[in-house]
């Protein structure tokens, strides 16, 4: 169960989106452990490369610049590596596909924006592949809505008002939010919900499947019957992918052998692709992420 925190501001223009806290609460949901139990927790602060933390994000999350600067914070690739080590200590490989019907592990998030937007952009920034564990994930909001036949009303209110549980800790700490999201997972399992496979993920073209545009394209078969909005989304994605590949190739050529990966700046094409992704997901959190709002 994961809930990233990232750079943001309440002023325009917002800082480039970069993950600043990489947390996880690992649950054992096997039948032998029904209705589930906690196995461990992981937390790593990440140093943003393209901006300093704003007063807005520090007030929101209580994360300070000192907390994300070395030695407390580290680069995103190192955070990924340490997360992989944490998983391996529990017999899980970060490059094993997650969320599939035959998978034994799945990432769960409160909404799609953590994986579809924050993780993807951080991987692109550092020119590292998205680990196969994140190839698909479970949007707990969608599962909650399906199981209880009611709309979630925010993480804290869902925990306290809908489920009658205690929200522990300071909201908008990534680890605290992950822990309280895990409470919802355990309650849903106890109430009979079966987590069988992911609700969203990345397709072969790098786009998020399960969104309205991807469904439209699947129905139309990519033919000319697609509406202008669908074509615009596809073209934006193509321009983004082509632009990113060119930047990566150029940066890779300039990088010295053995040198650690360096981040590259998000271009207008990257920003356009992020905004298109938010529109496809129809998720308020993703829309706020594009505008520099709260994670």
């Amino acid at each position: 169960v994961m809930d990233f925190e990232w750079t943001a501001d309440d002023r325009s223009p917002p800082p480039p989106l970069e993950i600043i806290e990489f947390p996880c609460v690992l649950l054992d949901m096997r039948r032998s452990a029904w209705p589930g139990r906690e196995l461990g927790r992981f937390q790593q602060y990440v140093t943003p490369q393209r901006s300093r933390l704003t007063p807005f994000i520090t007030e929101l999350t209580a994360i300070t610049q000192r907390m994300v600067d070395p030695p407390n914070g580290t680069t995103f690739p190192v955070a990924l590596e340490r997360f992989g080590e944490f998983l391996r200590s529990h017999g899980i490989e970060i490059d094993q596909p997650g969320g599939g019907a035959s998978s034994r592990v799945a990432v769960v998030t409160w909404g799609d924006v953590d994986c579809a937007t924050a993780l993807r952009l951080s991987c692109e920034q550092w020119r590292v592949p998205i680990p196969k564990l994140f190839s698909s994930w479970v949007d707990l909001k969608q599962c909650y809505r399906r199981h209880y036949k009611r709309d979630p009303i925010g993480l804290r209110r869902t925990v306290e008002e809908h489920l009658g549980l205690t929200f522990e800790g300071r909201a908008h700490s990534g680890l605290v939010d992950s822990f309280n999201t895990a409470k919802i997972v355990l309650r849903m399992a106890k109430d009979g919900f079966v987590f069988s496979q992911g609700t969203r993920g990345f397709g072969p073209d790098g786009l998020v499947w399960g969104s309205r545009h991807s469904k439209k394209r699947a129905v139309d078969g990519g033919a000319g019957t697609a509406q202008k909005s669908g074509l615009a989304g596809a073209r934006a994605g193509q321009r983004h992918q082509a632009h990113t590949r060119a930047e990566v190739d150029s940066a890779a050529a300039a990088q010295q052998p053995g040198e650690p990966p360096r981040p590259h700046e998000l271009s207008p094409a990257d920003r356009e692709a992020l905004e298109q992704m938010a529109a496809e997901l129809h998720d308020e959190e993703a829309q706020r992420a594009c505008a520099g709002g709260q994670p």
Side-chain angles (χ1 to χ4, degrees), residues 1-2 22-26 40-43 83 86-87 175 178:
V1 183
M2 309 186 72
F22 196 122
C24 173
V25 173
L26 185 63
R41 301 181 188 184
F42 172 84
Q43 182 185 42
F83 178 56
F86 164 76
L87 293 177
L175 186 59
S178 298

Side-chain angles (χ1 to χ4, degrees), residues 64-75:
T64 66
Q65 188 67 41
R66 184 176 180 179
M67 292 166 67
V68 298
D69 282 342
N72 300 311
T74 188
T75 63

Side-chain angles (χ1 to χ4, degrees), residues 241-257:
Q241 291 171 357
H243 184 85
T244 301
R245 282 196 298 270
E247 277 195 340
V248 170
D249 292 342
S250 175
Q255 187 169 321
Q256 298 299 318

Side-chain angles (χ1 to χ4, degrees), residues 35-216:
R37 62 188 179 97
E38 182 180 328
L39 292 177
R41 301 181 188 184
F42 172 84
Q43 182 185 42
Q44 176 65 62
Y45 290 110
V46 182
T47 310
Q49 304 295 305
R50 296 171 295 176
S51 68
R52 294 182 65 80
L53 299 191
T54 62
F56 168 80
I57 201 64
T58 294
E59 181 179 356
L60 179 71
T61 65
I63 300 174
T64 66
Q65 188 67 41
R66 184 176 180 179
M67 292 166 67
V68 298
D69 282 342
N72 300 311
T74 188
T75 63
F76 178 76
V78 173
L80 266 182
E81 181 179 346
R82 291 177 180 174
F83 178 56
E85 292 171 354
F86 164 76
L87 293 177
R88 280 193 294 276
S89 70
H90 293 279
I92 301 170
E93 292 296 329
I94 195 171
D95 275 323
Q96 68 182 75
S102 60
S103 301
R104 57 183 291 265
V105 63
V107 172
V108 178
T109 58
W110 186 248
D112 288 312
V113 68
D114 293 87
C115 294
T117 304
L119 179 76
R120 179 181 180 180
L121 284 180
S122 292
C123 287
E124 288 183 357
Q125 174 196 346
W126 283 96
R127 307 191 301 278
V128 296
I130 297 174
K132 292 180 181 178
L133 178 69
F134 297 95
S135 56
S136 65
W137 61 89
V138 176
D139 174 5
L140 192 62
K141 282 185 180 179
Q142 186 181 137
C143 297
Y144 182 95
R145 185 179 297 112
R146 184 189 314 156
H147 186 60
Y148 293 113
K149 312 301 181 186
R150 64 192 305 182
D151 289 330
I153 50 175
L155 178 59
R156 183 167 197 145
R157 291 184 64 190
T158 297
V159 170
E160 294 181 337
E161 297 179 22
H162 280 189
L163 299 179
L165 304 173
T166 300
F167 188 97
E168 299 182 47
R170 188 190 192 283
H172 299 300
S173 156
L175 186 59
V176 167
D177 286 354
S178 298
F179 174 74
N180 285 285
T181 302
K183 285 189 173 186
I184 300 177
V185 172
L186 295 174
R187 170 58 69 86
M188 289 179 62
K190 187 175 181 179
D191 289 345
F193 187 83
V194 177
F195 295 91
S196 58
Q197 62 184 43
T199 58
R200 289 278 171 86
F202 296 110
D205 56 2
L207 300 178
V208 178
W209 53 260
S211 62
R212 290 190 180 185
H213 284 313
S214 64
K215 289 177 181 177
K216 177 65 176 173

